[in-house]
Amino acid sequence: MDERWKHVLRQRIRELGRRYEEARHAYWEGKEDVDGERDRSGAERYDLPTDEDGNARLVCRRYAERRPVPVDRTGRPACFEPDHPDCEGCREDVRDGTVETYDDRF
């Protein structure tokens, strides 16, 4: 397959992935409005382990450290910095449920 076609195909697949993710979030936003779950914190919404203060126990991708931080309803940690690739990746991982977390019990 020509390299140009591979590039076009990758772009289309990424675009479809983004549209799917937007639709999925819109669905859950609407479902929560109906179910009355609007007040749940981001850590509860995205099923993240929390500390006693309700902060999500995340491993920071940017600084590679354990960090208890609040997470808002949109899946954005309080330490989020716009336009930083590691922070963008972390936010996407929180939304996808693949973010690295830690547990102090072990």
Side-chain angles (χ1 to χ4, degrees), residues 62-79:
R62 185 173 183 182
Y63 297 108
E65 65 184 14
R66 293 178 174 189
R67 183 179 286 196
V69 293
V71 176
D72 68 10
R73 293 185 61 252
T74 62
R76 189 172 54 195
C79 56

Side-chain angles (χ1 to χ4, degrees), residues 23-63:
R24 190 180 92 152
H25 285 296
Y27 168 79
W28 286 109
E29 287 282 326
K31 182 170 174 48
E32 288 175 2
D33 286 345
V34 171
D35 293 341
E37 297 180 6
R38 202 98 166 110
D39 297 330
R40 289 177 53 189
S41 75
E44 292 173 343
R45 169 184 274 186
Y46 295 103
D47 196 30
L48 300 170
T50 57
D51 63 5
E52 55 277 347
D53 296 327
N55 296 322
R57 296 178 179 199
L58 303 179
V59 176
C60 178
R61 293 175 72 172
R62 185 173 183 182
Y63 297 108

Side-chain angles (χ1 to χ4, degrees), residues 65-99:
E65 65 184 14
R66 293 178 174 189
R67 183 179 286 196
V69 293
V71 176
D72 68 10
R73 293 185 61 252
T74 62
R76 189 172 54 195
C79 56
F80 177 80
E81 291 184 26
D83 300 326
H84 192 281
D86 287 336
C87 293
E88 290 289 341
C90 180
R91 180 181 62 182
E92 291 172 10
D93 286 350
V94 166
R95 291 177 177 174
D96 293 340
T98 60
V99 70

